[in-house]
Amino acid sequence: MEENWQNKHIVFFDGDCGVCNFWVQWILERDKNDQFLFASLQSDFGQKFLSERGLNTKVFNTLYLWKPGQYYLEKSRAVLKIANLLGGIYKLSGLGKIIPSFLSDKIYDIVSKNRMKLANQKCYLPTPHQRAKFIQV
């Protein structure tokens, strides 16, 4: 499966967070060009991603977007890039780049800090096609 990763964007998220799972579902429903794969930060694959980059492997309050062999983004920059990649009206999110990262990440951190209060953990059952987009390694 690794050979397929080179052409995809991988979204790493907190698998135990209701807000994070909501956003994964939101991306899945709008990913018309089949650009994204998903992995929880708690998974072996997520832990390997974090440790290879010297990132914290115990705290899962950051969303990462990784384009293998090219870049990885975190927090607000990852969110803006995901929206831009989805295209259509979401490309307007590019305007968010005019906000300095330290400010947009501050807002991201406030939401992240309160994310467990914002959404209940729900059991989401993806379709077979959506299930294939989750990296289980």
Side-chain angles (χ1 to χ4, degrees), residues 2-16:
E2 186 170 346
E3 58 277 357
N4 295 333
W5 300 346
Q6 298 305 317
N7 299 322
K8 301 287 184 178
H9 291 85
I10 302 171
V11 177
F12 291 93
F13 65 98
D14 180 351
D16 293 331

Side-chain angles (χ1 to χ4, degrees), residues 18-19 22 24-25 44 50 53 66 68 79 86 88 111 115 124:
V19 170
F22 168 83
V24 166
Q25 292 170 48
D44 290 341
L50 293 170
R53 286 154 188 82
W66 180 39
V79 171
L86 288 171
V111 172
R115 71 189 192 281
Y124 171 65

